[in-house]
Amino acid sequence: KRRNGEKFWALVSARRIFDEKGKFRYTQAEHIDISALKDANEKWKESEEKYRLLSDQSGLGIGLYSANGEILYFNSKAVSNMGGKASDFVGKNVSEIFDEKSSKEYLKRFRKVMRSDKSFEYEDYFQSPTGDYWFLSNHTRVMDSAGELIGIQVIAQDISERRIMEKRLEESAEELRDLSHHLNKV
């Protein structure tokens, strides 16, 4: 507490002081006011929580990968799509998660994204323990304020229903062509 009764955060360091004969004399203590640091840390935690909630509740799978393919972050949707828990994926390389052909393709994409300031979109068919999906994914490089690469962000949207509808439309169009051909014959 300060003299005025206000509470504050302090970093305290203390040591015992002895005289030349080794007899304890007194305890010396020092403190540093770290209230501003604690406040900044609390604001950072609140901000971190907001962005985590935005990421988790977006309905999209979001991942952050290092340049060499290490998974740095998966939001809850990405983890759910993959069929596991975050610890099954985060810290591992794509070559440990995906088959050889797929992991080589992902690394090729990452290299392409790193060389460009553009985003790239890809459609992929993916089989996981939770089902078979079609995903439309957007790959973007993420840079820090100094212009250094943080990683490759991948935002994936499940487009399985759209792909099913496209297939049904193609089948309907084919049936209509067949029917039209039949009617022409008749």
Side-chain angles (χ1 to χ4, degrees), residues 55-80:
S55 171
D56 281 346
Q57 295 178 11
S58 69
L60 302 170
I62 301 174
L64 182 65
Y65 299 81
S66 72
N68 68 352
E70 180 184 345
I71 300 167
L72 304 173
Y73 170 78
F74 267 1
N75 74 345
S76 60
K77 183 66 174 175
V79 170
S80 172

Side-chain angles (χ1 to χ4, degrees), residues 51 66 87 110 166:
Y51 286 108
S66 72
S87 60
F110 294 166
E166 287 172 354

